[in-house]
Amino acid sequence: RIGRKVGNLVAAMLGLSITLVVVLCVAIFYRLTMSMMQDECIRGTNVLAYELSTYSGDEDKTALLDALKQEMGCEFTIFHGDERAYTTIQQDGRRAVGTRLSGDIAEAVLGQGKSYVGQATILGENHLCSYVPTRDANGQVDGLLFAGISTASATQQIGLAVALSCLAGVILIIAGILVVGAYIKK
C-alpha cells in the first residue's frame, strides 16, 4: 500500500512538473514570437527605406511594395503626411490608399519625429508594426514608412505551439504514469 501511495504521489508530482514546464515553454514561445515579429517589422521599414533611397522606377511605388510584401511577408505603406499614398493593406478588396493614420501614432511619428514600434489597430485589424518618419530636403518630417504583420498570424502560430505543447505534455504525463505504475507492480 505504501508503494502505491508513493507511486501516486510521484505520478502527481510528475504531472504537475510537466504541466508547469509546458506552460513556461508556451509563455517563452509567445514572447519570442512577438519579439521576432517586431524585429521583422523593423527590418521591413529599414529595407523599404533603403529601396526607396535607390528607387529609380516610375512614380507609382505599388509594385515595389508588392514585391517587398511577397519577399518579407509584411504589409507595407508609404505615407505622405498622415495619408496612405501607397499600400499593400486592403480594405473591402481594394488598397486602402487615402485612409489616414491614427492620431496617437501621427503625433509620435509626424509631430515628434520619433519612430514607433509596437502594436496598432489598422482599419480594424491589430498589427505588430514599425513606423519610421521620412524627411524632406529641409529635414522636416513629411511622411512615414510602415511595415507591419497582422497579429492574427501570430495568434495562429502561438495556437499551434500551444496545441503541440499540450499534446506533448499529455503524452509525457501518460508515459510517466505508465512507467511509475509498471515500477510499482514489480
Side-chain angles (χ1 to χ4, degrees):
R1 289 189 173 227
I2 195 156
R4 180 169 285 167
K5 288 181 181 180
V6 168
N8 289 340
L9 179 63
V10 168
M13 290 174 51
L14 178 66
L16 180 62
S17 65
I18 290 172
T19 301
L20 289 174
V21 167
V22 167
V23 168
L24 182 63
C25 287
V26 168
I28 290 170
F29 179 78
Y30 175 81
R31 290 185 61 188
L32 285 173
T33 299
M34 295 306 246
S35 176
M36 287 175 15
M37 290 178 79
Q38 281 187 339
D39 289 346
E40 188 66 22
C41 294
I42 293 168
R43 271 191 295 283
T45 52
N46 291 340
V47 168
L48 179 56
Y50 174 77
E51 290 293 329
L52 289 173
S53 72
T54 61
Y55 186 73
S56 61
D58 62 1
E59 183 62 32
D60 185 4
K61 296 171 182 73
T62 303
L64 171 65
L65 296 184
D66 288 343
L68 287 175
K69 178 179 179 176
Q70 185 169 354
E71 184 177 321
M72 297 188 73
C74 295
E75 299 289 349
F76 290 94
T77 301
I78 300 171
F79 285 85
H80 290 161
D82 69 343
E83 183 178 321
R84 287 177 180 84
Y86 306 99
T87 188
T88 59
I89 294 176
Q90 302 276 323
Q91 182 180 38
D92 301 325
R94 298 175 58 192
R95 291 181 191 267
V97 173
T99 56
R100 301 266 181 209
L101 181 63
S102 69
D104 54 339
I105 294 176
E107 173 57 32
V109 181
L110 296 172
Q112 300 173 17
K114 296 180 181 178
S115 295
Y116 172 82
V117 177
Q119 294 193 24
T121 302
I122 302 168
L123 304 174
E125 187 174 343
N126 292 327
H127 285 76
L128 291 173
C129 54
S130 172
Y131 289 92
V132 176
T134 58
R135 300 184 185 278
D136 62 17
N138 298 324
Q140 298 297 314
V141 175
D142 64 351
L144 54 108
L145 304 177
F146 161 84
I149 300 172
S150 169
T151 56
S153 65
T155 302
Q156 287 175 343
Q157 291 177 14
I158 292 166
L160 178 62
V162 168
L164 291 175
S165 297
C166 289
L167 178 63
V170 167
I171 290 170
L172 289 172
I173 289 170
I174 291 171
I177 290 171
L178 292 175
V179 167
V180 169
Y183 180 75
I184 291 173
K185 288 182 181 179
K186 287 184 177 183

